[in-house]
Amino acid sequence: MAFFTSATESIPVNTAVPQHIAVIMDGNGRWAKKRFLPRVAGHKRGMDAVLELVKTCVSLNIGYLTLFAFSSENWRRPADEVSFLMSLFIQGLKREVKKLHENNIKLILIGDRTRFNAELIAQIELSEKLTAHNTGLTLSIAANYGGRWDILQAVNKLHMASPELAGAYQEEHLTPHLAMHYAPEPDLFIRTGGESRISNFLLWQLAYTELYFTDTLWPDFDEEALHLALTSYQKRERRFGRTGEQLSPANT
Ligand code: IPE
Ligand code: IPE
Ligand code: MG
């Protein structure tokens, strides 16, 4: 079922704790390099940071957490790193899915899964099916995901579904076909690892998201680091095009 919340079509409700956090988990390789370890050791530790963040989000009652695990451009990495990441993904799902389920977490993979091997596809389907009816945190993992891929596949699906509307497509026609149609747009975006870029993550959905960049490397991103991001978020004035004066209590 489509879930349409658009910051450009209407003004979203603003809450002190974000409803939806989207994260680019960057810096695993540098974390390892600093310790004279192979890059893959950083990815392994990165997995621990994922589990810790999920736990914290559950305890804070955050509705949606979306994690960028592998971009459509990450195939350009050395083959052995790519295959390590794929097997980490399979093993991580196998090991953790029961615990996610017990914690009422719904797991969804966003991205083009057709390029994954059969074992990974099967494990993803199994994990999604097991957790499909859970009502707690919705944990979306973006894997072989690209923001441009997402917009294009949505346009193509829309065109197939409603060719008669071609030339008059509106937001509400397109958004049900986006990979994350079931979630509100992210309130807070976090990128660890010191780079200030989006790297083809949620291009459509980040239109009015508050952006937070930190030098902390992903394996070091702990509960305290999340609280720093939340504190920064709480200081923002989310105007969505209006003036600051329009937001003052006298005018609401
Ligand atoms: C992010 O860490 C993890 C993935 C992209 C899978 P990196 O592997 O990009 O780490 P750095 O940026 O090289 O430190
Ligand atoms: C972005 O990180 C993708 C993920 C974290 C999965 P990258 O490390 O691949 O981004 P760039 O290449 O530095 O922009
Ligand atoms: Mg990186």
Side-chain angles (χ1 to χ4, degrees), residues 83-219:
S83 72
F84 182 90
L85 284 166
M86 292 299 145
S87 54
L88 189 67
F89 200 16
I90 297 175
Q91 283 158 22
L93 283 174
K94 275 192 183 154
R95 208 180 47 230
E96 302 300 333
V97 71
K98 251 175 98 188
K99 234 182 286 161
L100 296 178
H101 184 48
E102 283 160 13
N103 285 287
N104 198 21
I105 295 167
K106 185 195 283 197
L107 185 84
I108 302 177
L109 181 118
I110 59 167
D112 179 5
R113 60 183 80 179
T114 57
R115 198 164 164 186
F116 295 145
N117 69 37
E119 188 187 7
L120 180 52
I121 295 173
Q123 190 57 48
I124 290 166
E125 285 172 357
L126 209 75
S127 309
E128 287 182 332
K129 206 167 155 203
L130 178 70
T131 64
H133 301 292
N134 289 341
T135 54
L137 177 73
T138 297
L139 174 62
S140 304
I141 306 288
N144 193 19
Y145 179 88
R148 292 185 180 180
W149 164 83
D150 194 4
I151 294 168
L152 280 172
Q153 65 82 30
V155 169
N156 285 321
K157 278 188 188 154
L158 170 58
H159 187 72
M160 298 293 274
S162 312
E164 73 286 358
L165 292 175
Y169 292 144
Q170 305 290 321
E171 278 196 24
E172 66 265 33
H173 301 133
L174 188 77
T175 49
H177 297 289
L178 289 170
M180 242 195 336
H181 58 85
Y182 52 84
E185 292 167 8
D187 303 293
L188 173 63
F189 160 97
I190 298 172
R191 183 175 186 143
T192 63
E195 313 293 354
S196 305
R197 55 178 174 253
I198 304 288
S199 300
N200 197 17
F201 196 26
L202 305 161
L203 298 180
W204 176 282
Q205 298 86 342
L206 294 178
Y208 267 105
T209 303
E210 295 298 328
L211 306 180
Y212 177 83
F213 297 94
T214 171
D215 288 336
T216 302
L217 302 172
W218 176 251

Side-chain angles (χ1 to χ4, degrees), residues 47-57 219 221-224:
M47 183 68 107
D48 300 337
V50 167
L51 300 175
E52 192 183 344
L53 177 62
V54 169
K55 231 195 256 167
T56 311
C57 286
F221 192 84
D222 56 11
E223 190 170 345
E224 194 191 334

Side-chain angles (χ1 to χ4, degrees), residues 220-239:
D220 293 326
F221 192 84
D222 56 11
E223 190 170 345
E224 194 191 334
L226 176 68
H227 281 290
L228 287 176
L230 293 174
T231 304
S232 165
Y233 174 78
Q234 282 155 3
K235 289 188 193 138
R236 313 285 178 94
E237 187 175 67
R238 303 193 74 194
R239 293 192 286 272

